[in-house]
Amino acid sequence: MSKVESAQHGSNITAPTELVETRLEKYAYRRLGLGRATAPPVLFLQHFTGTLDNWDPAVTDPLVGSREIILFENAGVGRSTGTVPDTVSGMAKHVLAFADAMGLTRVDLMGYSLGGMVAQVVALDRPSLVRRMILVATAPEGGEDIMHLEKPELRRILEDPKLTGYGRLVGLFFTGSESSQAAGRAFAARLQARQGDREPISGPQVAGAQIAAFRAWERIEGERFAKLRRMEQPCLVVNGVLDTMIPVRNSYWLGEHLPNAMLLTYPDAGHGCLFQYHESFVRQTNLFLE
Amino acid sequence: MSKVESAQHGSNITAPTELVETRLEKYAYRRLGLGRATAPPVLFLQHFTGTLDNWDPAVTDPLVGSREIILFENAGVGRSTGTVPDTVSGMAKHVLAFADAMGLTRVDLMGYSLGGMVAQVVALDRPSLVRRMILVATAPEGGEDIMHLEKPELRRILEDPKLTGYGRLVGLFFTGSESSQAAGRAFAARLQARQGDREPISGPQVAGAQIAAFRAWERIEGERFAKLRRMEQPCLVVNGVLDTMIPVRNSYWLGEHLPNAMLLTYPDAGHGCLFQYHESFVRQTNLFLE
């Protein structure tokens, strides 16, 4: 790889979007740090309606080094073909098809929000694939109050005519405090740093299927949280204590019922805690993965 | 200071116990790392019935370096004179008398269990003294299920004739898993490494007054947890998810109501989580204090 390619692959601002044909769909992905890896790659699984362009370079880029970062776009999102599954386990099947096509046999999973749920199912369906998991702002199956956009505190932001695009994202992901809002604006600016080769923005059909998946994920079948005991991988669970999209008690349950999970919560932070505290989050992730 | 003295002061296994006269009582303390400090000292506040000898050298010693560690023995415990107060705020007064006599104007507080409650009152009573706080396996005022030794799961250990001395401590502080018990035995061995110059073991009068202080600390007066909002210091809150002496939900409340607290919980760990995961705990403490 040339020096230019290598620099390009060092950041989610510049890494090219690639496509891979698999037994299921053709998936869009980006690969950061190509060719420098000694540890397993970290496979990033994205949040509700998010595309590859929603990964904050302040989180992805500093994690590149002794490991590769692979950002994955699930079926029906961005330039990945197919339709968005309406269950988390349907989404996990696409992760496995992608892993197989890419020749990935051992990865660490970075599952954020919806992606954290997909990560849990991947770890159950194919334990040998998953070395460690970072589960950010997410919930166990049978969790509560997961992405109820009809709640007053979320509707207030979603229906605010002054908030559009990134402004709305900042409203949803950050708290009302001055410092959290400032962190939110910096986050939005970082997401806009990528010039061209951007993914199409998710439409209502993506949101609809993903919301259906959240509703199914809330169902309690059999003994609540029993499945968590079977995920023996070391896990790092992270959330902001003021997350209104997936409240922090869901992270408490993960910390209590996963056999080997360290929990970390951040003050004055919501769903976007990893972006607000990106320096600490990267440091903790590096510590955890090493 | 000579090289021998310097080495002696590097560990709680060898540091001499010193005494200081103050406006209230004469307090026993140990000072680790004397003369090497560039950062504020960390003042350690001890758990229920614990003395200076209950500080695990695996936790104290590696924290010595750019900072001093001062282990403090409250009134009526070990060789400190006076009677054990039956309120947390009574104990906090002794911390302030000690700080004044020692000329301490700015410290970090390491408050473990009962010591974490004392730390909170010190931070409220004299905010200027406290730069940062580490609150381990503790509870806010108005917390729940604090040190109810009459609970079946604690009585089972306290009344087990096979468990005495350190064995009982391991039973109370560690979980039933093989790895936690092994960590507990290693902890007990470390506590016994100190040869001579040991503190007298606490008797029932210490326990009785401290239990009375726990009962008073559980009371809810006015708006629950409102005082936490006034503690603006950066805090690191730590607990084991299986703590039976002060359950982890008390740590959740600290993380949610302190304005600037990061919470960290450990899996398969109880009240002695900091000793079980001493390497991680020291790393996290260093990160937090630096």
Side-chain angles (χ1 to χ4, degrees):
Chain A
M1 182 160 58
S2 74
K3 269 193 183 170
V4 171
E5 278 176 320
S6 174
Q8 219 182 14
H9 276 278
S11 171
N12 193 31
I13 299 174
T14 48
T17 308
E18 300 177 71
L19 293 163
V20 60
E21 284 279 7
T22 78
R23 63 172 186 270
L24 292 181
E25 301 291 345
K26 189 192 281 186
Y27 303 108
Y29 69 96
R30 290 182 198 145
R31 206 163 181 163
L32 311 186
L34 192 64
R36 280 185 275 169
T38 55
V42 187
L43 186 57
F44 277 53
L45 305 175
Q46 189 57 292
H47 67 75
F48 175 62
T49 70
T51 70
L52 300 175
D53 297 330
N54 286 89
W55 284 117
D56 183 350
V59 164
T60 56
D61 301 1
L63 290 174
V64 175
S66 60
R67 67 183 82 87
E68 267 179 40
I69 301 293
I70 302 173
L71 312 179
F72 171 66
E73 196 131 85
N74 215 303
V77 180
R79 278 177 274 185
S80 290
T81 62
T83 52
V84 178
D86 58 5
T87 63
V88 172
S89 89
M91 296 172 194
K93 285 187 178 58
H94 290 291
V95 174
L96 294 179
F98 174 74
D100 291 339
M102 298 287 286
L104 302 172
T105 55
R106 191 91 170 143
V107 299
D108 295 328
L109 292 177
M110 171 76 80
Y112 174 35
S113 187
L114 174 60
M117 302 170 201
V118 177
Q120 292 170 63
V121 176
V122 169
L124 281 179
D125 286 355
R126 199 184 290 174
S128 65
L129 177 66
V130 183
R131 191 187 68 137
R132 288 168 184 242
M133 288 198 282
I134 301 156
L135 301 172
V136 186
T138 190
E141 195 176 344
E144 272 176 17
D145 193 7
I146 297 170
M147 289 283 173
H148 282 271
L149 304 184
E150 72 281 8
K151 288 195 300 189
E153 60 266 50
L154 296 179
R155 270 182 55 193
R156 194 174 43 79
I157 294 158
L158 290 165
E159 295 174 358
D160 185 340
K162 290 195 302 297
L163 292 177
T164 54
Y166 289 104
R168 186 176 291 165
L169 200 60
V170 172
L172 292 169
F173 279 19
F174 294 79
T175 78
S177 79
E178 211 170 298
S179 62
S180 186
Q181 284 294 305
R185 287 189 297 272
F187 160 70
R190 292 192 299 269
L191 289 193
Q192 293 169 81
R194 185 179 175 96
Q195 307 293 323
D197 186 29
R198 292 182 70 99
E199 295 299 285
I201 289 171
S202 298
Q205 72 294 351
V206 174
Q210 292 182 341
I211 289 283
F214 289 132
R215 289 298 75 76
W217 190 250
E218 284 179 333
R219 267 182 234 135
I220 300 169
E221 275 162 27
E223 190 197 337
R224 198 179 191 191
F225 307 137
K227 284 182 187 169
L228 296 180
R229 283 202 297 271
R230 286 157 47 205
M231 299 176 209
E232 293 178 350
Q233 289 86 354
C235 295
L236 177 64
V237 176
V238 178
N239 208 355
V241 290
L242 300 178
D243 189 343
T244 50
M245 305 192 87
I246 303 184
V248 67
R249 66 180 178 280
N250 290 287
S251 290
Y252 297 158
W253 285 320
L254 288 169
E256 291 169 14
H257 295 277
L258 286 167
N260 193 4
M262 188 167 118
L263 167 72
L264 194 67
T265 72
Y266 287 108
D268 185 33
H271 204 59
C273 56
L274 73 171
F275 309 130
Q276 181 170 340
Y277 290 93
H278 57 87
E279 285 182 13
S280 168
F281 179 76
V282 164
R283 202 185 302 123
Q284 292 288 345
T285 298
N286 271 322
L287 269 177
F288 171 70
L289 293 180
E290 272 157 19
Chain B
M1 183 160 57
S2 76
K3 268 192 182 170
V4 172
E5 279 176 319
S6 173
Q8 221 183 12
H9 275 278
S11 171
N12 193 32
I13 299 174
T14 48
T17 308
E18 302 177 70
L19 293 163
V20 60
E21 284 278 9
T22 77
R23 64 171 186 270
L24 293 181
E25 300 292 344
K26 188 192 282 187
Y27 303 107
Y29 68 96
R30 291 183 197 144
R31 205 164 180 161
L32 310 187
L34 192 65
R36 282 186 273 169
T38 54
V42 187
L43 186 56
F44 277 52
L45 305 176
Q46 188 58 293
H47 66 75
F48 175 61
T49 70
T51 69
L52 300 176
D53 297 330
N54 286 89
W55 284 117
D56 183 350
V59 164
T60 56
D61 300 2
L63 290 174
V64 175
S66 59
R67 67 183 82 89
E68 266 179 39
I69 302 292
I70 302 173
L71 312 179
F72 170 67
E73 196 131 85
N74 214 303
V77 179
R79 279 177 272 185
S80 289
T81 63
T83 52
V84 179
D86 58 4
T87 62
V88 172
S89 88
M91 296 172 195
K93 285 187 177 56
H94 291 290
V95 175
L96 294 178
F98 174 74
D100 290 339
M102 298 286 286
L104 302 172
T105 55
R106 191 91 169 141
V107 299
D108 295 328
L109 292 178
M110 171 76 80
Y112 174 34
S113 188
L114 175 60
M117 303 169 201
V118 177
Q120 293 170 60
V121 176
V122 169
L124 280 178
D125 286 356
R126 199 185 290 175
S128 64
L129 176 66
V130 183
R131 191 187 69 136
R132 286 166 187 244
M133 288 199 282
I134 301 157
L135 300 172
V136 186
T138 191
E141 195 175 348
E144 271 176 18
D145 192 7
I146 297 169
M147 290 284 173
H148 282 270
L149 304 185
E150 73 281 8
K151 287 195 299 188
E153 61 265 50
L154 296 178
R155 271 181 55 193
R156 195 173 43 78
I157 295 157
L158 290 165
E159 296 174 0
D160 185 340
K162 291 194 303 296
L163 293 177
T164 54
Y166 289 105
R168 187 176 289 165
L169 200 60
V170 171
L172 292 169
F173 278 20
F174 293 79
T175 78
S177 79
E178 212 171 295
S179 61
S180 186
Q181 285 294 306
R185 287 189 297 272
F187 160 70
R190 293 193 298 269
L191 288 194
Q192 292 169 82
R194 185 178 176 96
Q195 308 294 323
D197 187 30
R198 292 182 69 98
E199 294 299 286
I201 290 171
S202 298
Q205 73 293 354
V206 174
Q210 291 182 342
I211 289 284
F214 289 133
R215 291 296 77 76
W217 190 250
E218 285 180 333
R219 268 183 234 135
I220 300 169
E221 275 163 26
E223 190 196 339
R224 198 180 191 190
F225 308 136
K227 283 182 187 168
L228 296 180
R229 283 202 297 271
R230 285 157 47 205
M231 299 175 208
E232 294 178 349
Q233 289 87 352
C235 294
L236 177 64
V237 177
V238 178
N239 208 355
V241 290
L242 299 178
D243 189 342
T244 49
M245 305 191 88
I246 303 184
V248 67
R249 65 181 179 280
N250 290 286
S251 290
Y252 297 159
W253 285 320
L254 288 169
E256 290 170 13
H257 295 276
L258 285 166
N260 193 2
M262 189 166 117
L263 167 72
L264 194 66
T265 73
Y266 288 108
D268 184 33
H271 204 59
C273 56
L274 73 170
F275 309 129
Q276 181 170 339
Y277 290 93
H278 57 87
E279 286 182 14
S280 169
F281 179 75
V282 164
R283 202 184 302 124
Q284 292 289 344
T285 298
N286 271 322
L287 268 177
F288 171 70
L289 292 180
E290 270 155 19

